[in-house]
Amino acid sequence: MSQHGRFTANLQYAGAYRAKLDEFERNGQCPFCEMWENKALVQLEQFGWWVMDDQFPARGQQGTPAVHHLLLVPSRHITLPREMDTRDWGDVGELVRRAEREFGIVGGGLLFRFGDPDRGGQTICHIHFHLIEPGPHPEPGATGGADPVAFWVG
């Protein structure tokens, strides 16, 4: 179990994502720890971290799917930034640089939530980073050119 007594949180989500979270919670499993048994989703592996496609990718405010929504996930079960050492932070930076090159990411954001899920808003209590490149705005010539993706905290 995570330090908060559960592996999944914020179960207000619906549909297939909610069903998957419920299954992991019933089985007392951390979804990311279990994924280390199944490498089918892995795009890159380095430094004891995986880079994989998010199975439930972000969409922009106008509904445009993100061009890329990757997750960077450590092999060991950690829930707080203070559990990461200097090497971990450097490894995350190197994985982002590698993902930029290998996936052709031209811009976006690197985001994560941590700790108490009632404050952080994460649905899986295992540190993971989201590397998101938003899709183009559906209206040609729109200011900014991208369809903004909201990433909630709390």
Side-chain angles (χ1 to χ4, degrees), residues 7-8 16-17 19-21 23-24 27-45 48-57 69-77 123-130:
F7 289 117
T8 61
Y17 187 55
K20 198 69 168 161
L21 291 174
E23 176 186 336
F24 281 113
N27 295 330
Q29 299 170 316
C30 169
F32 288 137
C33 291
E34 289 298 314
M35 283 183 193
W36 282 93
E37 304 294 320
N38 174 9
K39 294 189 175 191
L41 301 172
V42 176
Q43 302 289 322
L44 303 172
E45 184 176 358
W49 288 73
W50 277 0
V51 177
M52 64 183 74
D53 285 319
D54 192 311
Q55 293 182 59
F56 302 93
H69 186 166
L70 302 172
L71 300 177
L72 286 67
V73 182
S75 61
R76 68 189 195 283
H77 186 87
T123 55
I124 298 176
C125 299
H126 179 134
I127 279 206
H128 56 287
F129 292 78
H130 294 257

Side-chain angles (χ1 to χ4, degrees), residues 2-3 7 12 25 40 53 66 68 70 74 76 81 93-94 101-102 104 113 126 128 132 138-139 141:
S2 79
Q3 69 177 35
F7 289 117
Q12 77 274 15
E25 195 64 29
D53 285 319
H68 294 287
L70 302 172
R76 68 189 195 283
E94 179 54 37
R101 288 189 308 269
E102 294 194 22
R113 296 172 283 215
H126 179 134
H128 56 287
I132 301 172
E139 298 173 22

